[in-house]
Amino acid sequence: MFQNILLAADGSSHSVRSAEYTVEIAKKFASKVEVVYVVDGETAKADVLHATDHTQVEKNRQERMQPVTEVLQEGEIDYTVTVLHGEPGPKIVTYANEHDVDCVILGSRGRNNLQTFLLGSVSHKVAKRVECPVLIVK
């Protein structure tokens, strides 16, 4: 049923909880997991400003994602990590719709109603526009 799972993650505690759910589901269906990390413009600028070279930027991003990848490794899940650049919501939707994804799993950010109304949320954008089932982990 869920052979290919896309786990949208950014290294936050929400992402770690999402990874824990992903492990449970992946084990149940013997799924492959693709972890997608979207670097937005502000994050990319900060990464470049605080690093000495491209290698350092990559190392910092791997460290940011380490809590998520550790959960998958401990669960003995077959996974890959893909880094995309742009606005997270639309990038995740486009990537999921253009690839053979059976389910998208991502965490909710925990914004209040006003913040969500004004800014929107990545999880809401993904749930509305992606063409496969979406699991949003609170």
Side-chain angles (χ1 to χ4, degrees), residues 65-138:
M65 293 301 294
Q66 187 175 356
V68 172
T69 58
E70 282 179 355
V71 169
L72 297 172
Q73 288 170 358
E74 289 170 9
E76 299 178 352
I77 301 301
D78 181 21
Y79 75 94
T80 58
V81 177
T82 301
V83 177
L84 304 175
H85 296 272
E87 188 180 341
K91 279 292 184 182
I92 294 166
V93 169
T94 301
Y95 191 86
N97 289 342
E98 291 178 353
H99 291 79
D100 186 25
V101 174
D102 301 315
C103 179
V104 175
I105 300 175
L106 69 163
S108 68
R109 252 324 214 319
R111 290 183 172 161
N112 66 36
N113 289 337
L114 178 61
Q115 289 171 317
T116 301
F117 176 73
L118 294 174
L119 303 173
S121 72
V122 172
S123 57
H124 184 255
K125 291 174 187 175
V126 170
K128 273 182 68 172
R129 296 181 179 98
V130 80
E131 296 168 355
C132 64
V134 176
L135 173 61
I136 300 171
V137 179
K138 286 189 159 214

Side-chain angles (χ1 to χ4, degrees), residues 26-46:
K27 282 185 174 185
K28 188 175 280 188
F29 295 104
S31 307
K32 293 179 183 174
V33 175
E34 183 166 11
V35 180
V36 173
Y37 172 46
V38 182
V39 180
D40 64 7
E42 284 189 35
T43 304
K45 288 177 191 175

Side-chain angles (χ1 to χ4, degrees), residues 52-66:
T52 55
D53 60 13
H54 182 69
T55 307
Q56 184 66 41
V57 171
E58 292 301 317
K59 183 180 178 211
N60 291 345
R61 289 178 182 165
Q62 287 175 354
E63 288 174 1
R64 193 173 299 131
M65 293 301 294
Q66 187 175 356

